[in-house]
Amino acid sequence: RHERIPFVHFRDIEGTRENFFETFHDDGPTDMAAMIRLYHEIGFRGPIRVDHVPSMAGEEDLPSGYAHLGRLFAVGYLRGLADASAVPLQ
């Protein structure tokens, strides 16, 4: 039930639970557009937080997973998914 979801940690990975690496949001195995629509359909209205992305070329990755350019890409991708799906973001 959506009442038990305090926030969405929006990211994707390749691999297994024990051995994985972060992917860009548009490059992993998860249908991220379907996830955005699903959160909306179940009535989730909490925050969605982009997180953990690979570094882009020429970018320092300190701390790992939080490079600025990759996170900017993730925010734009999330906004595009929401707009294309007609899902309002809070």
Side-chain angles (χ1 to χ4, degrees), residues 4-86:
R4 298 182 70 181
I5 303 172
F7 70 93
V8 172
H9 190 148
F10 194 70
R11 67 185 233 194
D12 208 355
I13 64 167
E14 285 279 352
T16 66
R17 183 178 186 170
E18 295 78 25
N19 184 23
F20 67 90
F21 63 92
E22 310 287 349
T23 66
F24 285 104
H25 295 78
D26 66 335
D27 198 30
T30 306
D31 183 342
M32 300 303 252
M35 295 305 302
I36 293 299
R37 289 189 302 272
L38 178 62
Y39 291 128
H40 181 68
E41 289 169 12
I42 66 169
F44 176 75
R45 298 295 181 266
I48 299 177
R49 176 183 178 215
V50 299
D51 205 9
H52 299 278
V53 294
S55 296
M56 294 185 140
E59 184 173 34
E60 187 175 359
D61 188 23
L62 299 172
S64 182
Y66 291 93
H68 295 299
L69 294 177
R71 286 175 60 82
L72 285 172
F73 170 81
V75 169
Y77 184 70
L78 174 59
R79 176 83 261 165
L81 288 177
D83 287 352
S85 300

